[in-house]
């Protein structure tokens, strides 16, 4: 992929989001031929956002870590994106659906790192990840799929578009927790249960996606750092609010997080 095409693809993404254009696969048009190319475009697109909004990196998201989400999107491997500081919200935030092409919500276990994670060219052991995690919390990821046609998804374009991250909502971090593989996550809409999943639904345990992410970032020489927040993947399937409503996500035995949708 040429440098010109890489910059052109990132600038086109900025313009599409600004104009509210519907998401369409664009990898072929810009010569994005590999996963490495797609992440290269993502890095440039994120850099342009950081420059325009004068913000910084707060952490990372990992998507498509559950079979349910992979089947929903027709993609068979995890993907990663960057979470920017100005899009980190506290529980109870109200967001306007009209500010997005199409807002989607994902219900996750977020972790905060207490030390750097640098694989050094090898796969991280589970115990190494566990020792690096300082705290966890229930979290909701806000995505913007811009009315994508899920029958025609193409993974390189989704990756380049920062894996559709449009922000995160965090509950209170805790420094002790039960078995995260067995923990239940319950989604309620206006007080009525809408779905539930378990920590084991994201690659068997939420720390496994963190290990995957550390290896992925190391290949681009941007290791996970102490203080980074990592969204470990959706325990259920993405919910697309169609009316004003309040979403609550409970991690049983840990805590909860809420978000209200306004027109």
């Amino acid at each position: 992929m040429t440098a010109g095409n890489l910059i052109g693809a990132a600038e086109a993404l900025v313009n599409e989001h600004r104009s509210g254009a519907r998401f369409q696969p664009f990898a072929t048009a810009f010569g994005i031929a590999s996963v490495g190319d797609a992440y290269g475009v993502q890095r440039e697109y994120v850099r342009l956002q950081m420059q325009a909004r004068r913000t910084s990196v707060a952490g990372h998201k990992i998507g498509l870590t559950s079979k349910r989400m992979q089947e929903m999107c027709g993609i068979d491997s995890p993907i990663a994106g960057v979470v920017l500081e100005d899009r980190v919200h506290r529980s109870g935030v109200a967001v306007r659906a009209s500010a997005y092409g199409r807002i989607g919500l994902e219900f996750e276990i977020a972790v905060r790192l207490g030390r750097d994670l640098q694989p050094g060219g090898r796969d991280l052991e589970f115990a190494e990840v566990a020792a690096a995690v300082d705290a966890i919390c229930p979290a909701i990821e806000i995505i913007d799929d811009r009315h994508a046609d899920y029958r025609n998804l193409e993974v390189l374009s989704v990756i380049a578009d920062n894996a559709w991250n449009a922000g995160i909502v965090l509950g209170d971090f805790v420094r002790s927790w039960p078995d995260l593989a067995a923990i239940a996550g319950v989604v309620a809409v206006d007080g009525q249960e809408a779905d539930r999943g378990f920590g084991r639904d994201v690659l068997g345990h939420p720390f496994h996606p963190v290990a995957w992410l550390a290896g992925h970032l190391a290949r681009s020489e941007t290791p996970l750092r102490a203080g980074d927040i990592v969204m470990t993947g959706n325990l259920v399937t993405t919910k697309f609010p169609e009316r004003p409503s309040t979403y609550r996500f409970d991690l049983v035995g840990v805590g909860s997080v809420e978000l209200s949708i306004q027109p």
Side-chain angles (χ1 to χ4, degrees):
M1 184 180 189
T2 67
N5 276 356
L6 186 151
I7 293 169
E11 290 176 343
L13 277 169
V14 170
N15 291 332
E16 286 182 6
H17 280 268
R18 184 182 294 125
S19 67
R22 183 176 183 178
F23 178 89
Q24 298 286 351
F26 55 87
T28 300
F30 285 97
I32 303 171
S34 67
V35 169
D37 288 345
Y39 280 112
V41 173
Q42 181 190 110
R43 287 190 291 274
E44 177 62 12
Y45 171 53
V46 167
R47 187 191 69 79
L48 292 173
Q49 291 185 82
M50 291 170 60
Q51 182 180 66
R53 304 205 311 263
R54 298 184 180 180
T55 190
S56 57
V57 174
H60 304 270
K61 68 155 286 182
I62 312 167
L64 308 184
T65 54
S66 74
K67 277 293 181 185
R68 291 176 68 182
M69 282 303 300
Q70 289 177 1
E71 289 169 359
M72 176 180 172
C73 295
I75 297 170
D76 63 0
S77 64
I79 61 175
V82 178
V83 177
L84 295 179
E85 186 68 45
D86 66 343
R87 289 182 173 173
V88 178
H89 310 285
R90 298 302 305 169
S91 181
V93 67
V95 299
R96 293 182 298 108
S98 59
Y100 306 86
R102 183 173 72 154
I103 190 171
L105 304 177
E106 302 192 342
F107 304 87
E108 313 193 16
I109 297 170
V111 307
R112 186 178 66 205
L113 296 180
R115 65 178 72 168
D116 296 354
L117 268 179
Q118 301 187 53
R122 60 181 177 81
D123 293 336
L124 285 172
E125 299 290 340
F126 181 92
E128 293 176 276
V129 177
V133 173
D134 170 62
I136 72 160
C137 74
I140 299 172
E141 181 183 3
I142 302 169
I143 69 161
D144 187 357
D145 75 354
R146 294 191 285 137
H147 290 281
D149 183 349
Y150 282 69
R151 298 166 300 180
N152 190 35
L153 279 190
E154 183 267 299
V155 67
L156 299 182
S157 297
V158 177
I159 290 171
D161 197 5
N162 198 27
W164 289 347
N165 179 260
I168 61 175
V169 186
L170 301 176
D172 292 332
F173 279 101
V174 300
R175 285 192 164 90
S176 63
W177 50 83
D179 176 12
L180 292 185
I183 199 169
V186 182
V187 179
V189 183
D190 293 334
Q192 299 296 313
E193 182 174 335
D195 207 346
R196 67 170 55 212
F198 297 88
R200 60 178 174 266
D201 293 329
V202 289
L203 300 184
H205 190 288
F207 291 169
H208 291 312
V210 179
W212 174 87
L213 178 67
H216 160 73
L217 292 175
R219 288 190 287 276
S220 60
E221 298 183 352
T222 53
L224 280 172
R225 298 294 191 188
D228 281 351
I229 296 166
V230 179
M231 300 287 286
T232 60
N234 197 0
L235 272 62
V236 291
T237 55
T238 308
K239 309 306 177 193
F240 295 99
E242 297 180 346
R243 56 180 173 79
S245 48
T246 297
Y247 284 77
R248 178 184 174 101
F249 179 52
D250 284 287
L251 277 182
V252 178
V254 172
S256 62
V257 59
E258 287 192 0
L259 171 149
S260 294
I261 300 295
Q262 297 179 347

